[in-house]
Amino acid sequence: RCIIMMSIKPAESQPYILTFDGVVLEIFAKFHDECHRLHVTQIQSIEIITDNKGRHTLNLQSPGRVFHLYQVDEAQFGPASVFVMAVH
């Protein structure tokens, strides 16, 4: 199985960039202590939730940690959906 390195910036107003190489999901942020690396086996769930007002949020859960701070702009919804499917 060949996976091409993927990268998304879910929202222009947020400092997060997520990358996935088929094995490791990396979350880069403005500050070093907000950066994370997760092996694909450590990811319990990843999904995009849309609230009743149409706002999208990327939620990621790993053992002992839930990341749910990632707002997804409407323009990034398609690429973010592809990213989530690749990580699944």
Side-chain angles (χ1 to χ4, degrees):
R1 178 177 162 185
C2 179
I3 297 285
I4 296 172
M5 178 69 126
M6 300 179 75
S7 178
I8 62 165
K9 182 169 179 28
E12 286 303 316
S13 63
Q14 302 293 317
Y16 303 104
I17 297 172
L18 288 75
T19 66
F20 183 63
D21 66 0
V23 177
V24 176
L25 173 69
E26 294 182 284
I27 303 166
F28 297 95
K30 185 174 183 177
F31 301 106
H32 180 70
D33 62 338
E34 295 181 55
C35 298
H36 304 280
R37 294 186 80 205
L38 297 168
H39 189 272
V40 70
T41 60
Q42 295 175 302
I43 300 169
Q44 293 175 320
S45 68
I46 183 169
E47 61 185 341
I48 296 175
I49 304 292
T50 304
D51 69 14
N52 58 0
K53 294 184 179 182
R55 294 178 296 215
H56 310 295
T57 305
L58 190 146
N59 292 325
L60 172 65
Q61 186 170 353
S62 67
R65 181 97 189 203
V66 176
F67 304 90
H68 58 275
L69 305 173
Y70 308 113
Q71 171 189 331
V72 178
D73 289 344
E74 191 63 40
Q76 293 300 319
F77 180 75
S81 297
V82 171
F83 186 88
V84 166
M85 289 187 333
V87 174
H88 259 265

